[in-house]
Amino acid sequence: MTLSGKHILLIVAGGIAAYKSLDLIRQLRAQGADVTPVLTRAGAQFVTPLSLSALAGRKVYSDLFDLTDEAEMGHIQLSRSADLIVVAPATANIMAQMAQGAASDLASTLLLATDTPVMMAPAMNVRMWDHPATQRNLQQLLADGVLCVGPNSGDMACGEYGSGRMAEPAEILAAVAAHFGPKPLLGRRVLVTSGPTREAIDPVRYISNHSSGAQGAAVAAALRDLGAVVEFVTGPADVPPPHGAVVHKVQSAQDMHDQVMALLPVDAAVFTAAVADWRVKSAAAQKMKKTGKELPVLEFTENPDILAAVSQLPVRQRPRLVVGFAAETENLIDHARAKLRKKGCDWICANDVSPQSGTFGGSDSQIHLVTAQEVETWPHQSKQAAARMLAARMAAALGDR
Ligand code: CTP
């Protein structure tokens, strides 16, 4: 990755996550980017202009009316000279200003006066993030073409837990690099299944599994970053779907199967979903009650195997590249090879999900890419990095149109 010759205008708004922007500057510059910081009045409550300018090696712009010398660098010129504007942290307030087109200070004026692409990394309290006003603003900004990284879920500085934590500097850096990177999948449509499925026992109970949806979301984001239109078919996952993907929410394996079939044809399909193999044969129409006598006995029936069904479609309907995931707790490669043959897909990404591996619900994975010809063991890396490797491989396999 190199960002050599790229000029990033970094707007630092007022949030506790502003301290991470100092590291972001360091990481952007380490990749060769020039960074010009813009600090809002609220941002200056969290980081000092001196630390920003020391790290950026440049003057910090901090208020519209400081720009007395229009000849030096007017606000229009300031925003237009950049290749990308990054807003990190993007607070609820600056998102509202951006969505409304307000120009009340230097940062919001720059954002309104520019036609340079804008990327934001939201950071705020979980209630503020979940508030309908912020979600409305987010949808507006995405529709306006603003790129969005994060936010992540986790413990927050305010003591609460939830979504709203700013993406890590390395994630923002990866998104910036992807923005400037090649788009070999432009014009391609790729389907990704993700998350667990839920199989009803009765209207209030279900059978499911521990899949967080993290790997699927990462694969979809990586494919999107390479320019693909991503049809993202997801069960009820913990990790939110990636911005920019076309999201289709489903519950059961049968719903997922039907949705996938309805979306064909596509150029390629990746099946990361942890689909329940069985469902209760006849889910009760009403909530099952304790009788005090016998325990209930559930009779199961097999769910459709979506990966196998798509892999075995006639050539004209079959995606050119079908990728399955194999979650195994033992004999990883042997099981993956058998699965590749049985299902008829082109590649299997074999993943060790034994409890000691920490893959399920964890942030890392180690993939073994199994094809008819060979097995390639990839490094132990983040699910995002693995997803980028897979997306690059897929782009190479699909080749030029
Ligand atoms: N898969 C699917 N539909 C199913 C079951 C699995 O599309 N009904 C897909 C998964 O998304 C994954 C791959 O098949 O890409 C392998 O799933 P896995 O659960 O590991 O394999 P199983 O088919 O369940 O085989 P086994 O029970 O032997 O592990």
Side-chain angles (χ1 to χ4, degrees):
M1 166 186 10
T2 175
L3 296 173
S4 172
K6 300 296 180 201
H7 179 202
I8 313 282
L9 191 73
L10 176 67
I11 295 178
V12 179
I16 187 71
Y19 77 92
K20 290 192 199 171
S21 301
L22 299 173
D23 191 29
L24 178 61
I25 295 176
R26 197 185 54 73
Q27 294 197 29
L28 286 166
R29 291 195 67 201
Q31 295 300 327
D34 286 327
V35 182
T36 301
V38 174
L39 186 60
T40 68
R41 202 180 294 262
Q45 303 294 317
F46 295 91
V47 288
T48 65
L50 190 60
S51 35
L52 283 175
S53 66
L55 281 161
R58 278 167 176 262
K59 173 183 161 120
V60 175
Y61 294 87
S62 56
D63 196 271
L64 188 54
F65 306 103
D66 279 355
L67 289 178
T68 42
D69 190 358
E70 277 279 328
E72 182 200 342
M73 177 74 90
H75 56 269
I76 306 255
Q77 199 191 334
L78 186 58
S79 61
R80 292 198 186 153
S81 66
D83 298 299
L84 178 69
I85 301 181
V86 176
V87 187
T91 57
N93 185 51
I94 202 161
M95 282 178 62
Q97 287 180 306
M98 289 163 73
Q100 288 296 314
S104 46
D105 59 3
L106 174 62
S108 53
T109 304
L110 288 173
L111 286 160
L112 194 63
T114 190
D115 51 7
T116 301
V118 176
M119 178 181 291
M120 63 177 180
M124 66 198 74
N125 166 274
V126 56
R127 301 267 170 94
M128 292 169 83
W129 175 251
D130 286 341
H131 195 284
T134 303
Q135 289 302 311
R136 211 164 44 234
N137 291 334
L138 172 67
Q139 292 314 319
Q140 183 60 58
L141 291 169
L142 293 174
D144 292 346
V146 172
L147 305 165
C148 186
V149 198
N152 294 342
S153 292
D155 288 322
M156 312 191 75
C158 54
E160 289 190 76
Y161 180 90
S163 196
R165 205 165 73 168
M166 189 167 92
E168 294 304 317
E171 293 174 83
I172 302 173
L173 180 71
V176 170
H179 170 73
F180 290 118
K183 303 276 179 253
L185 292 176
L186 214 58
R188 303 262 188 213
R189 208 160 145 257
V190 181
L191 184 149
V192 179
T193 69
S194 184
T197 61
R198 279 184 186 170
E199 309 301 324
I201 296 174
D202 68 15
V204 297
R205 301 182 179 91
Y206 59 81
I207 297 170
S208 192
N209 60 63
H210 291 298
S211 168
S212 65
Q215 185 69 80
V219 168
L223 291 163
R224 172 207 62 196
D225 286 345
L226 296 188
V229 170
V230 179
E231 304 285 356
F232 189 65
V233 183
T234 178
D238 301 334
V239 172
H243 304 294
V246 188
V247 180
H248 308 271
K249 290 190 177 168
V250 296
Q251 292 281 324
S252 68
Q254 187 66 52
D255 295 344
M256 186 174 275
H257 170 273
D258 297 349
Q259 182 64 77
V260 165
M261 292 301 170
L263 288 165
L264 299 180
V266 293
D267 294 295
V270 188
F271 294 84
T272 70
V275 185
D277 289 317
W278 309 282
R279 67 174 179 277
V280 177
K281 194 166 179 187
S282 5
Q286 304 298 332
K287 185 182 169 200
M288 290 163 67
K289 304 294 286 180
K290 290 190 287 289
T291 60
K293 291 182 221 133
E294 306 95 66
L295 295 172
V297 176
L298 299 177
E299 196 189 336
F300 288 96
T301 185
E302 207 163 316
N303 270 326
D305 188 322
I306 312 168
L307 171 61
V310 170
S311 298
Q312 291 163 26
L313 282 169
V315 179
R316 279 182 35 243
Q317 286 149 276
R318 187 190 190 276
R320 267 180 49 212
L321 183 61
V322 181
V323 184
F325 270 66
E328 305 289 353
T329 55
E330 55 179 2
N331 300 335
L332 186 64
I333 303 298
D334 288 348
H335 282 322
R337 279 209 178 101
K339 216 163 269 184
L340 185 82
R341 281 194 297 273
K342 190 176 99 194
K343 303 210 183 203
C345 55
D346 302 302
W347 299 349
I348 287 268
C349 296
N351 236 325
D352 180 1
V353 293
S354 56
Q356 63 272 20
S357 74
T359 300
F360 257 155
S363 55
D364 285 3
S365 68
Q366 181 172 33
I367 283 177
H368 306 263
L369 185 71
V370 180
T371 69
Q373 292 77 34
E374 57 182 357
V375 178
E376 200 181 298
T377 297
W378 291 358
H380 203 272
Q381 57 193 342
S382 71
K383 289 181 177 173
Q384 282 75 17
R388 282 194 292 273
M389 271 184 87
L390 178 62
R393 281 306 179 82
M394 291 178 63
L398 288 170
D400 295 331
R401 287 173 78 83

